[in-house]
Amino acid sequence: MTNSIRDIEEAGCVFIVGSNTTENHPLIARRVMRAREQGAKLIVADPRRIQLAGFADIMMRQRPGTDVALLNGMMHVIIKEGLHDEAFIASRTEGFEDLKREVEQYPPERAAGITGVPAADIIAAARLYATAPASAILYCMGITQHTTGVDNVISCANLAMLTGNIGRPGTGVNPLRGQNNVQGACDVGALANVLPGYQPVVDDGKRGNVEKVWGSLVPGRVGLTVVGMIDAAGEGRLKGLYVMGENPLVSDPDVNHAREALGRLDLLIVQDIFLSETAAMADVVFPAACWAEKDGTVTNTERRVQLLRRAVPPPGEAKADWEIVCLLARRLGLDGFDFGDPEAVFGEIRRVTPQYAGMSYARLGVDGLQWPCPAEDHPGTPILHSKTFTRGEGRMQAVGYKPPAEEPDEEYPFVLTTGRVAFHYHTGTMTRRSATLAREVPEAFVEVNPVDARHLGISDGRRVRVSSRRGSIEVRAMVTPRVPERTLFIPFHFAETAANVLTNPALDPVAKIPEYKVCAAKIQVS
Protein backbone atom coordinates (compact mmCIF):
# COMPACT_ATOMS: atom_id res chain seq x y z
CA MET A 1 0.00 0.00 0.00
CA THR A 2 1.23 3.49 -0.76
CA ASN A 3 -0.77 4.69 2.23
CA SER A 4 -1.67 3.36 5.67
CA ILE A 5 -4.79 1.42 6.58
CA ARG A 6 -5.96 4.19 8.92
CA ASP A 7 -5.70 6.62 5.98
CA ILE A 8 -8.76 5.03 4.41
CA GLU A 9 -10.92 6.84 6.95
CA GLU A 10 -9.60 10.18 5.65
CA ALA A 11 -10.68 9.54 2.06
CA GLY A 12 -13.44 11.58 0.47
CA CYS A 13 -13.95 8.77 -2.04
CA VAL A 14 -12.96 5.10 -1.86
CA PHE A 15 -12.75 3.20 -5.15
CA ILE A 16 -12.68 -0.57 -4.61
CA VAL A 17 -11.92 -2.65 -7.70
CA GLY A 18 -11.24 -6.39 -7.78
CA SER A 19 -11.52 -6.79 -4.01
CA ASN A 20 -14.27 -8.50 -2.02
CA THR A 21 -13.05 -6.56 0.97
CA THR A 22 -15.63 -7.53 3.59
CA GLU A 23 -14.97 -11.26 3.10
CA ASN A 24 -11.22 -11.19 2.42
CA HIS A 25 -10.06 -8.23 4.53
CA PRO A 26 -12.85 -7.59 7.05
CA LEU A 27 -10.85 -5.25 9.31
CA ILE A 28 -9.92 -3.06 6.37
CA ALA A 29 -13.55 -3.17 5.25
CA ARG A 30 -14.45 -1.72 8.63
CA ARG A 31 -12.22 1.26 7.86
CA VAL A 32 -14.06 1.67 4.57
CA MET A 33 -17.38 1.67 6.40
CA ARG A 34 -16.11 4.26 8.88
CA ALA A 35 -15.12 6.49 5.98
CA ARG A 36 -18.58 5.94 4.50
CA GLU A 37 -20.21 6.86 7.81
CA GLN A 38 -18.17 10.08 7.81
CA GLY A 39 -19.48 11.07 4.40
CA ALA A 40 -17.03 9.48 1.97
CA LYS A 41 -18.40 8.29 -1.35
CA LEU A 42 -17.93 4.64 -2.29
CA ILE A 43 -17.39 3.24 -5.79
CA VAL A 44 -17.31 -0.55 -6.18
CA ALA A 45 -16.28 -2.33 -9.39
CA ASP A 46 -16.72 -6.10 -9.33
CA PRO A 47 -18.44 -8.66 -11.58
CA ARG A 48 -20.25 -10.04 -8.52
CA ARG A 49 -22.66 -8.07 -6.37
CA ILE A 50 -20.48 -8.33 -3.28
CA GLN A 51 -21.60 -7.17 0.16
CA LEU A 52 -20.07 -3.71 -0.23
CA ALA A 53 -22.27 -3.13 -3.28
CA GLY A 54 -25.14 -2.51 -0.89
CA PHE A 55 -23.30 0.52 0.52
CA ALA A 56 -21.90 1.85 -2.75
CA ASP A 57 -22.88 5.13 -4.35
CA ILE A 58 -21.91 3.59 -7.69
CA MET A 59 -21.70 -0.15 -8.40
CA MET A 60 -20.08 -1.17 -11.69
CA ARG A 61 -20.33 -4.83 -12.69
CA GLN A 62 -17.64 -5.16 -15.35
CA ARG A 63 -17.22 -8.36 -17.32
CA PRO A 64 -14.33 -10.39 -15.86
CA GLY A 65 -11.06 -9.39 -17.49
CA THR A 66 -12.15 -5.93 -18.74
CA ASP A 67 -10.65 -3.74 -16.01
CA VAL A 68 -8.29 -1.83 -18.33
CA ALA A 69 -11.18 -0.79 -20.55
CA LEU A 70 -13.17 0.34 -17.51
CA LEU A 71 -10.29 2.40 -16.07
CA ASN A 72 -9.41 3.86 -19.46
CA GLY A 73 -13.04 4.86 -19.89
CA MET A 74 -12.97 6.69 -16.57
CA MET A 75 -9.72 8.46 -17.50
CA HIS A 76 -11.20 9.47 -20.86
CA VAL A 77 -14.02 11.27 -19.03
CA ILE A 78 -11.65 12.88 -16.52
CA ILE A 79 -9.42 14.36 -19.25
CA LYS A 80 -12.30 15.36 -21.54
CA GLU A 81 -14.02 17.23 -18.71
CA GLY A 82 -10.81 18.85 -17.44
CA LEU A 83 -10.95 17.07 -14.09
CA HIS A 84 -7.29 15.95 -14.18
CA ASP A 85 -4.72 17.60 -11.88
CA GLU A 86 -2.63 19.58 -14.36
CA ALA A 87 -0.24 20.92 -11.70
CA PHE A 88 0.51 17.47 -10.30
CA ILE A 89 0.93 16.01 -13.77
CA ALA A 90 3.34 18.77 -14.83
CA SER A 91 5.48 18.70 -11.69
CA ARG A 92 5.43 15.05 -10.65
CA THR A 93 4.88 12.84 -13.71
CA GLU A 94 5.91 11.97 -17.25
CA GLY A 95 4.08 10.22 -20.09
CA PHE A 96 0.81 12.16 -19.89
CA GLU A 97 0.53 12.82 -23.63
CA ASP A 98 0.95 9.12 -24.45
CA LEU A 99 -1.70 8.23 -21.86
CA LYS A 100 -4.03 10.90 -23.21
CA ARG A 101 -3.76 9.54 -26.74
CA GLU A 102 -4.51 6.03 -25.53
CA VAL A 103 -7.55 6.82 -23.40
CA GLU A 104 -8.99 8.99 -26.17
CA GLN A 105 -9.83 5.65 -27.79
CA TYR A 106 -12.09 4.69 -24.85
CA PRO A 107 -15.08 7.02 -24.77
CA PRO A 108 -17.66 5.81 -22.24
CA GLU A 109 -19.79 4.26 -24.96
CA ARG A 110 -16.93 2.08 -26.23
CA ALA A 111 -15.85 1.20 -22.67
CA ALA A 112 -19.46 0.23 -21.94
CA GLY A 113 -19.50 -2.08 -24.94
CA ILE A 114 -16.39 -3.89 -23.72
CA THR A 115 -17.16 -3.99 -20.00
CA GLY A 116 -20.95 -4.24 -19.88
CA VAL A 117 -21.02 -1.26 -17.47
CA PRO A 118 -23.48 1.45 -18.56
CA ALA A 119 -21.75 4.54 -19.94
CA ALA A 120 -23.61 6.73 -17.45
CA ASP A 121 -22.10 4.80 -14.54
CA ILE A 122 -18.58 5.11 -15.98
CA ILE A 123 -19.07 8.87 -16.31
CA ALA A 124 -20.50 9.21 -12.80
CA ALA A 125 -17.68 7.15 -11.27
CA ALA A 126 -15.03 9.19 -13.06
CA ARG A 127 -16.51 12.45 -11.83
CA LEU A 128 -16.90 11.19 -8.28
CA TYR A 129 -13.34 9.89 -8.05
CA ALA A 130 -11.77 12.96 -9.68
CA THR A 131 -13.64 15.64 -7.75
CA ALA A 132 -13.35 14.30 -4.21
CA PRO A 133 -10.76 16.11 -2.06
CA ALA A 134 -8.92 12.81 -1.54
CA SER A 135 -9.62 9.52 -3.33
CA ALA A 136 -8.15 6.12 -2.47
CA ILE A 137 -7.98 3.05 -4.69
CA LEU A 138 -8.17 -0.36 -3.00
CA TYR A 139 -7.59 -3.47 -5.10
CA CYS A 140 -6.80 -7.11 -4.58
CA MET A 141 -6.39 -10.26 -6.64
CA GLY A 142 -9.40 -9.46 -8.79
CA ILE A 143 -7.01 -7.00 -10.44
CA THR A 144 -3.78 -9.00 -10.42
CA GLN A 145 -4.83 -12.58 -11.26
CA HIS A 146 -5.20 -12.01 -14.99
CA THR A 147 -2.98 -12.34 -18.03
CA THR A 148 -3.27 -8.53 -18.01
CA GLY A 149 -2.63 -8.20 -14.29
CA VAL A 150 0.34 -5.85 -14.73
CA ASP A 151 -1.68 -3.72 -17.16
CA ASN A 152 -4.49 -3.55 -14.61
CA VAL A 153 -2.15 -2.32 -11.87
CA ILE A 154 -0.55 0.22 -14.21
CA SER A 155 -4.02 1.52 -15.05
CA CYS A 156 -4.84 1.98 -11.36
CA ALA A 157 -1.60 3.93 -10.93
CA ASN A 158 -2.38 6.01 -14.03
CA LEU A 159 -5.78 6.96 -12.59
CA ALA A 160 -4.26 8.00 -9.26
CA MET A 161 -1.49 10.10 -10.87
CA LEU A 162 -3.88 11.65 -13.39
CA THR A 163 -5.92 13.11 -10.53
CA GLY A 164 -3.09 13.81 -8.08
CA ASN A 165 -4.41 11.21 -5.67
CA ILE A 166 -1.01 9.99 -4.49
CA GLY A 167 1.28 11.00 -1.64
CA ARG A 168 -1.44 12.54 0.54
CA PRO A 169 -3.60 11.25 3.41
CA GLY A 170 -6.74 9.51 2.18
CA THR A 171 -5.34 8.81 -1.28
CA GLY A 172 -3.06 6.23 -2.87
CA VAL A 173 -2.93 2.99 -4.79
CA ASN A 174 -3.45 0.37 -2.13
CA PRO A 175 -3.14 -3.36 -2.93
CA LEU A 176 -4.59 -5.59 -0.23
CA ARG A 177 -2.29 -8.58 0.14
CA GLY A 178 -3.78 -12.02 -0.27
CA GLN A 179 -2.03 -13.75 2.65
CA ASN A 180 -0.48 -12.75 5.96
CA ASN A 181 3.20 -11.80 5.62
CA VAL A 182 3.25 -12.19 1.85
CA GLN A 183 4.47 -8.57 1.91
CA GLY A 184 7.32 -9.55 4.23
CA ALA A 185 8.25 -12.56 2.11
CA CYS A 186 8.52 -10.33 -0.96
CA ASP A 187 10.46 -7.71 0.99
CA VAL A 188 13.21 -10.19 1.86
CA GLY A 189 13.60 -11.60 -1.64
CA ALA A 190 11.16 -14.51 -1.93
CA LEU A 191 10.61 -13.61 -5.58
CA ALA A 192 12.22 -14.98 -8.72
CA ASN A 193 13.79 -11.75 -9.96
CA VAL A 194 14.94 -9.75 -6.95
CA LEU A 195 17.19 -9.84 -3.92
CA PRO A 196 16.01 -8.56 -0.51
CA GLY A 197 14.69 -5.02 -0.76
CA TYR A 198 13.53 -5.49 -4.38
CA GLN A 199 17.09 -5.13 -5.68
CA PRO A 200 17.32 -6.68 -9.17
CA VAL A 201 19.21 -9.96 -9.09
CA VAL A 202 20.71 -9.09 -12.49
CA ASP A 203 22.32 -5.90 -11.09
CA ASP A 204 25.99 -6.81 -10.49
CA GLY A 205 26.50 -4.06 -7.92
CA LYS A 206 23.43 -4.88 -5.85
CA ARG A 207 24.21 -8.57 -6.03
CA GLY A 208 27.82 -7.95 -4.95
CA ASN A 209 26.69 -6.06 -1.84
CA VAL A 210 24.47 -8.95 -0.78
CA GLU A 211 27.19 -11.50 -1.54
CA LYS A 212 29.51 -9.74 0.90
CA VAL A 213 26.99 -10.21 3.70
CA TRP A 214 26.05 -13.75 2.78
CA GLY A 215 29.63 -14.83 2.11
CA SER A 216 28.64 -16.72 -1.02
CA LEU A 217 27.98 -16.13 -4.70
CA VAL A 218 24.44 -15.39 -5.87
CA PRO A 219 23.35 -16.49 -9.37
CA GLY A 220 22.87 -13.45 -11.56
CA ARG A 221 19.84 -14.77 -13.42
CA VAL A 222 16.12 -14.58 -12.85
CA GLY A 223 14.70 -17.79 -11.40
CA LEU A 224 11.40 -19.60 -11.83
CA THR A 225 8.05 -18.50 -10.44
CA VAL A 226 5.67 -20.97 -8.78
CA VAL A 227 3.89 -21.96 -11.97
CA GLY A 228 7.24 -22.03 -13.78
CA MET A 229 8.56 -24.51 -11.23
CA ILE A 230 5.56 -26.79 -11.70
CA ASP A 231 5.97 -26.67 -15.47
CA ALA A 232 9.70 -27.38 -15.17
CA ALA A 233 8.98 -30.38 -12.93
CA GLY A 234 6.50 -31.71 -15.45
CA GLU A 235 9.08 -31.36 -18.23
CA GLY A 236 11.78 -33.08 -16.18
CA ARG A 237 13.95 -29.96 -15.94
CA LEU A 238 13.38 -29.59 -12.18
CA LYS A 239 14.27 -32.61 -10.05
CA GLY A 240 13.62 -31.45 -6.50
CA LEU A 241 11.21 -29.00 -4.85
CA TYR A 242 11.13 -27.63 -1.30
CA VAL A 243 7.64 -26.27 -0.46
CA MET A 244 7.15 -24.15 2.67
CA GLY A 245 3.64 -23.25 3.83
CA GLU A 246 2.13 -23.63 0.37
CA ASN A 247 -0.36 -26.13 -1.03
CA PRO A 248 -0.06 -26.11 -4.84
CA LEU A 249 -2.27 -29.19 -5.21
CA VAL A 250 -5.18 -26.90 -4.33
CA SER A 251 -3.91 -23.40 -5.09
CA ASP A 252 -2.22 -23.84 -8.48
CA PRO A 253 -4.16 -23.45 -11.73
CA ASP A 254 -4.88 -26.66 -13.63
CA VAL A 255 -4.46 -28.85 -10.54
CA ASN A 256 -4.38 -32.09 -12.54
CA HIS A 257 -1.29 -30.83 -14.34
CA ALA A 258 0.28 -29.78 -11.01
CA ARG A 259 -0.33 -33.25 -9.52
CA GLU A 260 1.25 -34.95 -12.51
CA ALA A 261 4.24 -32.59 -12.43
CA LEU A 262 4.89 -33.08 -8.71
CA GLY A 263 4.72 -36.83 -9.23
CA ARG A 264 7.66 -36.61 -11.64
CA LEU A 265 10.01 -35.05 -9.09
CA ASP A 266 12.90 -37.06 -7.68
CA LEU A 267 12.45 -35.33 -4.33
CA LEU A 268 9.56 -33.37 -2.83
CA ILE A 269 10.01 -31.78 0.60
CA VAL A 270 7.08 -30.04 2.30
CA GLN A 271 7.32 -27.92 5.44
CA ASP A 272 3.93 -27.18 6.99
CA ILE A 273 1.90 -27.15 10.19
CA PHE A 274 -0.61 -29.71 8.83
CA LEU A 275 -0.41 -32.61 6.42
CA SER A 276 -1.81 -30.74 3.43
CA GLU A 277 -2.73 -32.39 0.13
CA THR A 278 0.74 -31.49 -1.17
CA ALA A 279 2.45 -32.76 1.99
CA ALA A 280 0.67 -36.10 1.56
CA MET A 281 2.61 -36.51 -1.71
CA ALA A 282 5.97 -35.55 -0.21
CA ASP A 283 9.03 -37.75 0.23
CA VAL A 284 9.94 -35.76 3.36
CA VAL A 285 7.71 -33.67 5.62
CA PHE A 286 9.18 -31.17 8.09
CA PRO A 287 6.68 -30.30 10.86
CA ALA A 288 6.68 -26.52 11.32
CA ALA A 289 5.55 -24.32 14.20
CA CYS A 290 2.52 -22.10 13.64
CA TRP A 291 2.49 -18.34 14.17
CA ALA A 292 1.56 -18.59 17.86
CA GLU A 293 4.42 -21.02 18.52
CA LYS A 294 7.36 -18.93 17.31
CA ASP A 295 9.04 -15.56 17.64
CA GLY A 296 9.86 -13.31 14.72
CA THR A 297 8.51 -10.52 12.56
CA VAL A 298 5.75 -10.22 9.99
CA THR A 299 5.09 -7.39 7.55
CA ASN A 300 1.51 -6.54 6.72
CA THR A 301 -0.14 -4.99 3.69
CA GLU A 302 0.62 -1.40 4.77
CA ARG A 303 4.38 -2.19 4.95
CA ARG A 304 4.28 -2.34 8.75
CA VAL A 305 6.94 -4.62 10.25
CA GLN A 306 5.59 -6.08 13.49
CA LEU A 307 7.25 -8.09 16.23
CA LEU A 308 5.62 -11.35 17.33
CA ARG A 309 6.32 -13.26 20.54
CA ARG A 310 5.34 -16.88 20.85
CA ALA A 311 2.44 -17.73 23.12
CA VAL A 312 3.06 -21.48 23.51
CA PRO A 313 5.89 -23.85 22.60
CA PRO A 314 5.52 -25.87 19.38
CA PRO A 315 4.20 -29.43 19.84
CA GLY A 316 6.21 -32.61 19.34
CA GLU A 317 9.11 -32.28 16.91
CA ALA A 318 7.78 -29.11 15.25
CA LYS A 319 10.22 -26.24 14.95
CA ALA A 320 10.16 -22.66 13.70
CA ASP A 321 10.78 -22.34 9.96
CA TRP A 322 14.12 -20.55 10.41
CA GLU A 323 15.35 -23.34 12.68
CA ILE A 324 14.45 -26.05 10.16
CA VAL A 325 16.19 -24.20 7.32
CA CYS A 326 19.32 -23.63 9.41
CA LEU A 327 19.44 -27.26 10.56
CA LEU A 328 19.15 -28.47 6.98
CA ALA A 329 21.78 -26.01 5.75
CA ARG A 330 24.26 -27.14 8.40
CA ARG A 331 23.62 -30.81 7.53
CA LEU A 332 24.52 -29.86 3.96
CA GLY A 333 27.77 -28.35 5.18
CA LEU A 334 26.88 -24.74 4.42
CA ASP A 335 28.36 -21.82 6.34
CA GLY A 336 26.48 -18.76 7.58
CA PHE A 337 23.52 -20.53 9.16
CA ASP A 338 24.60 -20.33 12.81
CA PHE A 339 21.91 -17.89 13.94
CA GLY A 340 21.05 -18.18 17.62
CA ASP A 341 17.55 -16.73 17.49
CA PRO A 342 15.12 -14.83 15.21
CA GLU A 343 16.57 -11.48 16.29
CA ALA A 344 19.92 -12.52 14.80
CA VAL A 345 18.14 -13.43 11.56
CA PHE A 346 16.46 -10.02 11.56
CA GLY A 347 19.86 -8.41 12.05
CA GLU A 348 20.98 -9.91 8.75
CA ILE A 349 17.74 -8.86 7.07
CA ARG A 350 18.53 -5.26 8.07
CA ARG A 351 21.96 -5.52 6.47
CA VAL A 352 20.70 -6.68 3.07
CA THR A 353 17.32 -4.91 2.90
CA PRO A 354 17.77 -1.12 2.67
CA GLN A 355 14.14 -0.42 3.61
CA TYR A 356 14.63 -2.26 6.93
CA ALA A 357 18.07 -0.85 7.83
CA GLY A 358 16.83 1.46 10.56
CA MET A 359 14.69 -1.09 12.35
CA SER A 360 15.54 -3.19 15.38
CA TYR A 361 13.59 -5.36 17.77
CA ALA A 362 13.80 -2.57 20.35
CA ARG A 363 12.39 -0.01 17.90
CA LEU A 364 9.61 -2.25 16.61
CA GLY A 365 8.03 -2.49 20.05
CA VAL A 366 4.27 -3.01 20.06
CA ASP A 367 3.20 -0.94 17.05
CA GLY A 368 6.01 -1.73 14.60
CA LEU A 369 7.42 0.52 11.89
CA GLN A 370 6.52 1.08 8.25
CA TRP A 371 9.22 0.81 5.64
CA PRO A 372 11.19 2.46 4.21
CA CYS A 373 13.01 3.10 7.47
CA PRO A 374 16.61 3.57 6.27
CA ALA A 375 18.25 4.79 9.50
CA GLU A 376 17.85 4.28 13.24
CA ASP A 377 16.66 7.87 13.71
CA HIS A 378 14.09 7.56 10.91
CA PRO A 379 10.44 7.37 12.05
CA GLY A 380 9.26 5.08 9.24
CA THR A 381 7.09 6.05 6.27
CA PRO A 382 3.30 5.96 6.64
CA ILE A 383 2.74 7.46 3.15
CA LEU A 384 4.89 6.79 0.10
CA HIS A 385 5.64 9.29 -2.70
CA SER A 386 4.65 12.36 -0.66
CA LYS A 387 7.28 14.58 -2.33
CA THR A 388 8.80 12.50 -5.09
CA PHE A 389 8.57 9.03 -6.58
CA THR A 390 11.35 6.50 -6.08
CA ARG A 391 12.37 6.89 -9.73
CA GLY A 392 11.94 10.67 -9.64
CA GLU A 393 8.91 11.41 -11.81
CA GLY A 394 5.92 9.09 -11.75
CA ARG A 395 5.65 7.29 -15.06
CA MET A 396 2.26 7.21 -16.72
CA GLN A 397 2.06 4.35 -19.19
CA ALA A 398 -0.39 4.04 -22.06
CA VAL A 399 -2.11 0.65 -21.75
CA GLY A 400 -4.71 -0.71 -24.12
CA TYR A 401 -7.38 -3.32 -23.45
CA LYS A 402 -6.50 -6.93 -24.20
CA PRO A 403 -9.07 -9.70 -23.82
CA PRO A 404 -8.53 -12.63 -21.43
CA ALA A 405 -6.52 -15.60 -22.68
CA GLU A 406 -9.69 -17.70 -22.89
CA GLU A 407 -13.14 -16.38 -23.72
CA PRO A 408 -16.55 -18.13 -23.87
CA ASP A 409 -17.50 -19.98 -27.04
CA GLU A 410 -20.23 -22.36 -28.19
CA GLU A 411 -18.80 -25.32 -26.28
CA TYR A 412 -17.92 -23.40 -23.11
CA PRO A 413 -20.40 -20.51 -23.03
CA PHE A 414 -19.84 -19.29 -19.47
CA VAL A 415 -17.10 -17.25 -17.78
CA LEU A 416 -15.83 -18.86 -14.58
CA THR A 417 -14.21 -16.73 -11.90
CA THR A 418 -12.89 -17.89 -8.52
CA GLY A 419 -12.32 -16.39 -5.09
CA ARG A 420 -12.78 -16.80 -1.37
CA VAL A 421 -15.53 -16.82 1.23
CA ALA A 422 -15.38 -15.24 4.65
CA PHE A 423 -15.28 -18.51 6.60
CA HIS A 424 -12.31 -20.17 4.89
CA TYR A 425 -8.76 -19.15 4.17
CA HIS A 426 -6.84 -19.98 1.02
CA THR A 427 -6.63 -23.80 0.54
CA GLY A 428 -8.52 -24.54 3.77
CA THR A 429 -5.52 -26.28 5.37
CA MET A 430 -6.31 -24.53 8.65
CA THR A 431 -9.90 -23.29 8.48
CA ARG A 432 -11.47 -26.53 7.25
CA ARG A 433 -10.11 -28.22 10.39
CA SER A 434 -12.30 -25.90 12.47
CA ALA A 435 -15.68 -27.51 13.11
CA THR A 436 -17.31 -24.10 13.55
CA LEU A 437 -16.05 -22.71 10.24
CA ALA A 438 -16.71 -25.97 8.41
CA ARG A 439 -20.34 -25.85 9.57
CA GLU A 440 -20.77 -22.42 8.01
CA VAL A 441 -19.51 -23.47 4.56
CA PRO A 442 -18.99 -27.26 4.54
CA GLU A 443 -18.46 -27.77 0.81
CA ALA A 444 -17.84 -26.06 -2.48
CA PHE A 445 -20.62 -24.51 -4.51
CA VAL A 446 -21.08 -22.70 -7.79
CA GLU A 447 -23.01 -19.46 -8.01
CA VAL A 448 -25.23 -19.32 -11.10
CA ASN A 449 -27.60 -16.55 -12.17
CA PRO A 450 -31.36 -17.36 -11.92
CA VAL A 451 -31.88 -16.70 -15.64
CA ASP A 452 -29.21 -19.23 -16.57
CA ALA A 453 -30.48 -21.67 -13.95
CA ARG A 454 -34.03 -21.59 -15.39
CA HIS A 455 -32.73 -22.08 -18.92
CA LEU A 456 -30.63 -25.10 -17.88
CA GLY A 457 -33.15 -26.62 -15.46
CA ILE A 458 -30.92 -26.08 -12.43
CA SER A 459 -32.57 -25.64 -9.04
CA ASP A 460 -30.93 -24.20 -5.95
CA GLY A 461 -28.94 -26.86 -4.08
CA ARG A 462 -28.91 -29.31 -6.99
CA ARG A 463 -25.64 -31.03 -7.86
CA VAL A 464 -24.17 -29.87 -11.14
CA ARG A 465 -21.07 -30.53 -13.18
CA VAL A 466 -18.86 -27.59 -14.07
CA SER A 467 -16.29 -28.23 -16.79
CA SER A 468 -13.51 -26.40 -18.60
CA ARG A 469 -10.90 -27.48 -21.10
CA ARG A 470 -8.79 -28.75 -18.18
CA GLY A 471 -11.27 -30.93 -16.34
CA SER A 472 -14.56 -31.01 -14.44
CA ILE A 473 -15.89 -31.07 -10.90
CA GLU A 474 -19.27 -31.74 -9.28
CA VAL A 475 -20.63 -29.17 -6.82
CA ARG A 476 -23.93 -27.87 -5.52
CA ALA A 477 -25.56 -24.99 -7.35
CA MET A 478 -26.31 -21.75 -5.54
CA VAL A 479 -28.84 -19.88 -7.64
CA THR A 480 -28.32 -16.18 -6.97
CA PRO A 481 -28.39 -12.81 -8.75
CA ARG A 482 -25.03 -12.12 -7.07
CA VAL A 483 -23.42 -13.18 -10.34
CA PRO A 484 -24.49 -11.78 -13.72
CA GLU A 485 -25.81 -13.95 -16.51
CA ARG A 486 -23.32 -16.25 -18.22
CA THR A 487 -20.93 -15.93 -15.24
CA LEU A 488 -20.10 -18.58 -12.64
CA PHE A 489 -18.27 -18.21 -9.33
CA ILE A 490 -16.63 -21.03 -7.32
CA PRO A 491 -14.59 -20.62 -4.10
CA PHE A 492 -11.26 -22.42 -4.34
CA HIS A 493 -10.86 -23.66 -0.74
CA PHE A 494 -12.09 -27.23 -1.25
CA ALA A 495 -9.54 -29.85 -2.32
CA GLU A 496 -12.08 -32.58 -3.04
CA THR A 497 -13.85 -30.35 -5.58
CA ALA A 498 -11.02 -27.98 -6.38
CA ALA A 499 -11.98 -24.98 -8.50
CA ASN A 500 -8.42 -24.93 -9.76
CA VAL A 501 -9.03 -28.17 -11.63
CA LEU A 502 -10.80 -25.81 -14.04
CA THR A 503 -8.74 -22.61 -14.06
CA ASN A 504 -6.46 -21.53 -16.88
CA PRO A 505 -2.67 -21.63 -16.25
CA ALA A 506 -2.13 -18.84 -18.82
CA LEU A 507 0.24 -16.26 -17.31
CA ASP A 508 0.72 -12.52 -17.29
CA PRO A 509 3.82 -12.11 -19.48
CA VAL A 510 5.59 -9.85 -16.97
CA ALA A 511 4.54 -10.94 -13.47
CA LYS A 512 3.88 -14.58 -14.45
CA ILE A 513 0.63 -14.58 -12.44
CA PRO A 514 -1.97 -17.15 -13.58
CA GLU A 515 -5.37 -16.06 -14.86
CA TYR A 516 -7.42 -17.46 -11.98
CA LYS A 517 -10.19 -14.91 -12.49
CA VAL A 518 -11.30 -15.77 -16.04
CA CYS A 519 -11.74 -18.99 -17.96
CA ALA A 520 -14.35 -20.46 -20.30
CA ALA A 521 -16.63 -23.06 -18.69
CA LYS A 522 -19.91 -24.92 -19.03
CA ILE A 523 -22.41 -26.10 -16.43
CA GLN A 524 -24.89 -28.95 -16.63
CA VAL A 525 -27.06 -31.01 -14.32
CA SER A 526 -25.13 -34.01 -12.97
Side-chain angles (χ1 to χ4, degrees), residues 415-437:
V415 171
L416 170 67
T417 189
T418 65
R420 298 177 176 178
V421 297
F423 297 100
H424 289 299
Y425 177 71
H426 210 55
T427 65
T429 306
M430 294 180 288
T431 54
R432 295 194 67 202
R433 285 176 165 81
S434 163
T436 301
L437 297 178

Side-chain angles (χ1 to χ4, degrees), residues 123 135 215 247 344 367 417 503 518 521:
I123 294 168
S135 292
N247 191 13
D367 295 327
T417 189
T503 48
V518 188

Side-chain angles (χ1 to χ4, degrees), residues 298-315:
V298 296
T299 308
N300 74 355
T301 194
E302 64 172 0
R303 299 168 285 105
R304 185 178 299 277
V305 183
Q306 301 170 89
L307 185 62
L308 295 183
R309 298 293 191 186
R310 81 176 194 179
V312 293

Side-chain angles (χ1 to χ4, degrees), residues 195 199-220 352:
L195 298 160
Q199 301 171 94
V201 73
V202 296
D203 186 313
D204 293 343
K206 302 292 187 186
R207 198 171 64 253
N209 293 336
V210 173
E211 288 174 344
K212 290 176 184 176
V213 177
W214 286 352
S216 61
L217 296 176
V218 177
V352 295

